[in-house]
Amino acid sequence: MNRKLFFWLEKLKITPHERITITILLVLLLLLTLLNSVIEIGASAGPKDYKALKEEINERKALMARQEAELMKRYHPQSAPESERPSMLAVAAAGGDTLPVSPYTSEVGSETEVQPVQDSGKININAATRDQLESLPGIGPVYAERIVKYRQTVGKFKSVDDLVKIKGIGEKRLEKIKPLVEI
């Protein structure tokens, strides 16, 4: 029998290395088949598992909704009910940086300009401080500094669309902050 097997392998015209590889693969296949038949596959998830998963998903949804509501209050204070809007003194006492302490002054660079700030909830880009500008979505310290430098060198903005002249502020970023700013 061994002799017939040997001649059969000779007819295949494979090298000794290939024979060893095939033998190893066949033994491995046999072992995995035996191992698969011995190990029991766990039961599939039942309704209790789905219920716990559904509760966790609902908790995460509620958390995300609360976070989104907080962001909307921060970036769109005019859409919040009057009772939920923070007063300027409360924001200043809490260390907030989105509104000036006094409604008639705003700090620009090292000098102070006296300008009234409207109660529209929008940020006046011609009078806003760096901190106020940084509170806008997509505007960080670098962009705020560029806006302030532009105001100091070129002058006041004539329209909100002039923000595109600031390096790095494109049409998409402008569309995000346009409802939040005014001249």
Side-chain angles (χ1 to χ4, degrees):
M1 171 99 170
N2 279 343
R3 193 171 192 148
K4 287 183 181 180
L5 182 63
F6 178 74
F7 286 118
W8 181 74
L9 289 173
E10 284 294 318
K11 286 182 183 179
L12 291 177
K13 295 183 181 178
I14 56 175
T15 65
H17 293 293
E18 292 171 335
R19 276 187 233 151
I20 293 171
T21 304
I22 290 173
T23 305
I24 291 172
L25 289 174
L26 287 174
V27 169
L28 187 61
L29 179 66
L30 181 64
L31 286 174
L32 289 175
T33 305
L34 288 173
L35 188 63
N36 192 24
S37 64
V38 172
I39 297 176
E40 290 183 27
I41 297 175
S44 63
K48 291 181 182 178
D49 297 326
Y50 290 123
K51 188 175 181 180
L53 186 61
K54 189 174 182 180
E55 287 175 4
E56 185 178 339
I57 289 172
N58 287 337
E59 288 173 7
R60 289 186 182 181
K61 277 184 183 178
L63 176 66
M64 288 175 60
R66 285 192 303 270
Q67 290 173 345
E68 185 176 343
E70 289 173 10
L71 285 174
M72 290 301 289
K73 283 182 189 176
R74 179 177 178 194
Y75 291 119
H76 299 285
Q78 66 273 15
S79 65
E82 189 66 37
S83 61
E84 292 183 15
R85 291 184 195 173
S87 69
M88 290 193 298
L89 294 176
V91 170
D97 58 359
T98 58
L99 296 173
V101 176
S102 168
Y104 297 106
T105 62
S106 64
E107 191 175 304
V108 178
S110 60
E111 54 189 63
T112 302
E113 295 180 10
V114 176
Q115 292 181 353
V117 178
Q118 287 85 15
D119 289 335
S120 66
K122 294 183 177 184
I123 295 175
N124 184 340
I125 57 174
N126 283 328
T129 64
R130 286 181 185 86
D131 292 337
Q132 289 173 329
L133 292 169
E134 286 178 31
S135 70
L136 294 169
I139 302 295
V142 174
Y143 289 122
E145 181 67 29
R146 289 178 186 167
I147 292 171
V148 171
K149 281 186 180 177
Y150 181 88
R151 284 192 319 222
Q152 290 171 349
T153 57
V154 177
K156 294 186 177 188
F157 291 96
K158 291 173 182 54
S159 74
V160 175
D161 294 327
D162 287 345
L163 283 171
V164 177
K165 296 177 183 176
I166 306 296
K167 181 180 176 184
I169 297 181
E171 292 296 327
K172 288 184 179 181
R173 193 177 309 258
L174 179 64
E175 290 303 316
K176 287 181 185 177
I177 62 173
K178 206 172 195 178
L180 306 174
V181 296
E182 64 186 3
I183 299 297

